[in-house]
Amino acid sequence: MTTSGEPRLTVLITGVGAPVGVSIFKALRQSQLKPRIVATDTAVMSVGLFRADAAYLLPHVTADEPGYLRRLQEICLRERVAMVCFGSEIEMRRVAPHRAEIERATGSRLVLNEPDHLEAFMDKWTTVRTLRDRGFPVPDSVLATDPGAVAAFLTRHDLPVVLKPRHGSGSTNVYVVRSLRELEVLTEYVVEPLLQELLLPDVEEYTVGVYKSPRSGYLGQIVFRRELGAGLTYKAEVVRDPEIEATCRNVVESFDVWGPINLQLRKTAAGVRIFEINLRFSSSVVMRSCFGFNEPELALRDLVLEEPLTPPAIRPGYAFRYWDEIYLEPGQYAGGEAAFDQGGPKGTRSDNF
């Protein structure tokens, strides 16, 4: 824990107007290290900007415009940021190829894997093929735009089946297809559609958080049996399941990846089937923190303080997610976007998210 005689570490969180960024924020507020939090987003009406110790707007991300990278680096230097946590995948993809140069220029540690790994696991088709090729259990999957593969798939599986985009998160454009007509229409509607077998039962869906240190390897994990709402973990129960735990550990140890890793799977009559891996913080990171698995704190101790890590002690329990609100007086929003050029509007800070 940081003592009164030591300067507080500063952590920058991007995307604080969306669930992942907000969840990282809340987990860091629970941390024993009590870091100072700098929040960023591209939109001024973002809740985390009004709850951080300092807040800035970033330019919108584009593939080749340097403004975003330049501004991020400026903020890291100005605020003496020790670590950067990313709350959006689009920012991760933009920054990852430049991680080493930004770290050298700022002294900040960026919680980002290599671009090749990020791109591979952001693609659900590449994910299942890569896992399958290494002998890990995945749902039967084909590209929905390949007529021959789809015809063969439908001889192996009865309807309903699942159709989803190769790229995307939060269950956006994920459909349970119940007729051939639906399959035809949705294949045209969904961008880069992927067809997968429907994994049953629905009540056996899990999200698993793993932390793997780039210095010392696999540390530990927490397993939630979950229910989804609006594409996010809505209700969760901490469980112990040796099959799930062993499979997830074997997966993350088989790849040169590190940091917070999120695996999503279902447990069927035939066993575990992994359908997604995210090399990032999850929107359920604050839930995990409440049960003893605080991934942002682990990353801070690991990457910045370089402390020896011990596996966290996971507590049993249940989590239920609900909407909450913050309220601002007109003066707290004074200055609009210009106020965030110098660290955000004043008088809006709170230790409660």
Side-chain angles (χ1 to χ4, degrees), residues 228-275:
L228 288 172
L232 304 173
T233 299
Y234 176 59
K235 299 178 182 179
E237 174 191 3
V238 180
V239 299
R240 297 299 307 271
D241 187 299
E243 181 187 1
I244 292 174
E245 292 168 10
T247 301
C248 291
R249 177 169 184 170
N250 288 338
V251 167
V252 300
E253 290 189 325
S254 296
F255 297 93
D256 185 21
V257 296
W258 56 272
I261 303 166
N262 182 56
L263 299 93
Q264 297 176 22
L265 58 94
R266 282 194 175 182
K267 193 168 184 181
T268 71
V272 168
R273 295 292 182 270
I274 300 170
F275 57 85

Side-chain angles (χ1 to χ4, degrees), residues 1-3 6-11 26-37 53 294 297 300-301 351:
M1 181 184 299
T2 303
T3 67
E6 299 173 335
R8 292 170 69 192
L9 295 169
T10 295
V11 179
K26 289 180 176 180
L28 283 171
R29 284 294 193 219
Q30 295 173 5
S31 168
Q32 292 185 359
L33 295 172
K34 304 297 181 186
R36 180 171 171 270
I37 297 178
D53 299 294
N294 191 325
E297 180 177 300
L300 197 53
R301 293 185 183 278
D351 281 337

Side-chain angles (χ1 to χ4, degrees), residues 262-303:
N262 182 56
L263 299 93
Q264 297 176 22
L265 58 94
R266 282 194 175 182
K267 193 168 184 181
T268 71
V272 168
R273 295 292 182 270
I274 300 170
F275 57 85
E276 192 166 322
I277 298 177
N278 298 303
L279 303 182
R280 59 169 172 78
F281 295 104
S282 162
S283 64
S284 58
V285 66
V286 65
M287 296 180 179
R288 295 166 178 170
S289 174
C290 286
F291 296 110
F293 198 78
N294 191 325
E295 294 153 285
E297 180 177 300
L298 288 173
L300 197 53
R301 293 185 183 278
D302 183 25
L303 306 177

